[in-house]
Amino acid sequence: MNNIPTPPDGETSKAASGSRVYRILKRTILVAFILFFLLLAAGYFYETSQLNRIANELKPPGELVDINGRALHIRIQGEGSPTVVLEAGLGGGVLDWTLVAPEIAKFTRVVSYDRAGLGWSEAAATPRTPRLVVEDLRTALKSKQVDGPFVLVGHSDGGLKVRMFYYMHPEDVAALVLVDSSHVDQDPRLPKELAAKFAEIEQITSVSSKLSAFGITRLLMKLQGGGSVFPELELLPESAQSAWMDMAACRSQLLTVIQELNAWEESCLQLKEAEIPYGDLPVSVLTAGKAPFDLGESYSNAWLELQAELAGGAFASHRVIEDSGHYIHIQQPETVIEEVRRIIQKLRTPNQ
């Protein structure tokens, strides 16, 4: 009978120990995966409950009108003519004008609204380039029987959209007020650091949109506070801050912001193709005196040149608001209010 060699005691001990380590590691990985998926499930149900809460509790301050089968939120305040229409910048809407619209409503009718996919407005099937934004806005105004001529006020990227409104329907526009408005030639003329910042913003927004489905984006925003994302938010009333926080973390809204960022080149192309002279149209340009992201003098000098070009024309005015950053209508709302008031008075009494 052959003798089967017996492993030394040390080797047997090592094999048993290795087997135990493997089993423990395997169980640890399994438990980790289970916990991970449980956390994702909990986050998903948390986000779903928050979306239900928002739908039930956060009622639109304006009205929802039908735009080819989808709802567009529009808010009309005050009475009088001409009507002022407010167009917010990238990712913005009715809440951006919280400090401005009620004051303008004291001396004329004013309209603010949420573009498709933002605020209380339903998303559209395709990204809203300037032409499509104008079509949506015109349809909403007509549905509420709000006729021109309009004084169009556009902030940042919204400046492109109000200019497109004028290019497409000059007969309906009485004046333009451009609030630190974007310029179609700004990319090659501003410091490259600005483009890098926007690329970073797009990347963060993209990641946030993916995490939002599991409530992670909403939770992080609540822990850090809205001011960490949008510092000017803290200048708005508590109700507006709360509404902004609720909606900014929604996946649908984050995806719309990405669409608006991606539509920039097409937007500039559309503006250049549609551009017509201002003629005797009153144009007011309000420019922020403080550079964004601490970009400094090189940015400020180039931005002032671009802003001066926006004000080009015999009937244009240009003011630099030294103590304000990009969000003039939130940081210095009285400046925008008084400029609109000045233009309204001039339009009502043209011979004075």
Side-chain angles (χ1 to χ4, degrees), residues 65-344:
V65 299
D66 180 75
I67 306 291
N68 299 320
R70 56 184 166 81
L72 193 83
H73 177 230
I74 183 170
R75 188 179 189 186
I76 304 170
Q77 299 169 267
E79 296 179 355
S81 179
T83 298
V84 175
V85 178
L86 306 172
E87 184 73 67
L90 178 73
V94 166
L95 294 175
D96 287 43
W97 303 103
T98 299
L99 302 177
V100 169
E103 296 302 314
I104 293 177
K106 293 177 180 179
F107 55 85
T108 196
R109 181 167 56 181
V110 58
V111 176
S112 55
Y113 80 110
D114 297 317
R115 291 188 295 275
L118 299 171
W120 286 271
S121 291
E122 292 181 351
T126 57
R128 300 291 88 183
T129 55
R131 285 190 177 278
L132 295 177
V133 167
V134 171
E135 289 178 8
D136 280 359
L137 178 56
R138 284 263 296 179
T139 302
L141 291 171
K142 285 184 177 180
S143 72
K144 301 307 299 178
Q145 298 181 329
V146 178
D147 299 320
F150 305 110
V151 174
L152 303 178
V153 182
H155 168 246
S156 191
D157 181 61
L160 299 187
K161 295 171 174 62
V162 298
R163 287 168 61 200
M164 178 60 83
F165 194 114
Y166 167 68
Y167 297 156
M168 293 173 65
H169 306 284
E171 70 285 356
D172 287 337
V173 180
L176 292 178
V177 180
L178 304 177
V179 183
D180 214 40
S181 170
S182 301
H183 190 292
V184 293
D185 292 326
Q186 69 185 48
D187 282 355
R189 295 171 58 180
L190 291 176
K192 293 181 180 179
E193 289 83 358
L194 183 65
K197 272 292 181 182
F198 275 108
E200 180 183 334
I201 290 171
E202 183 175 355
Q203 186 177 27
I204 292 172
T205 307
S206 178
V207 172
S208 298
S209 70
K210 294 177 175 64
L211 297 177
S212 63
F214 304 102
I216 298 173
T217 300
R218 189 176 304 280
L219 184 60
L220 289 174
M221 285 181 63
K222 286 187 176 181
L223 291 174
Q224 296 176 0
S228 64
V229 181
F230 181 31
E232 289 78 11
L233 184 66
E234 296 177 353
L235 299 175
L236 297 180
E238 185 63 35
S239 58
Q241 290 187 42
S242 177
W244 188 93
M245 288 279 287
D246 275 340
M247 291 188 290
C250 294
R251 177 173 168 78
S252 59
Q253 189 134 303
L254 290 164
L255 290 175
T256 299
V257 173
I258 294 171
Q259 287 182 339
E260 290 197 342
L261 284 166
N262 290 336
W264 170 252
E265 290 186 7
E266 175 62 23
S267 297
C268 293
L269 181 62
Q270 287 189 5
L271 264 289
K272 290 178 180 179
E273 291 176 344
E275 187 172 11
I276 60 174
Y278 287 143
D280 59 358
L281 180 75
V283 177
S284 175
V285 175
L286 301 177
T287 300
K290 296 180 180 179
F293 311 116
D294 297 322
L295 290 178
E297 189 175 349
S298 61
Y299 168 89
S300 296
N301 291 338
W303 188 245
L304 285 174
E305 288 182 6
L306 292 166
Q307 293 287 292
E309 290 176 10
L310 289 176
F315 293 87
S317 66
H318 182 200
R319 291 176 56 197
V320 178
I321 315 304
E322 298 291 350
D323 294 332
S324 180
H326 185 52
Y327 290 87
I328 299 173
H329 54 302
I330 297 177
Q331 294 174 295
Q332 301 283 344
E334 66 283 352
T335 302
V336 178
I337 296 163
E338 289 309 311
E339 188 63 17
V340 171
R341 188 196 303 273
R342 182 186 70 81
I343 288 176
I344 294 291

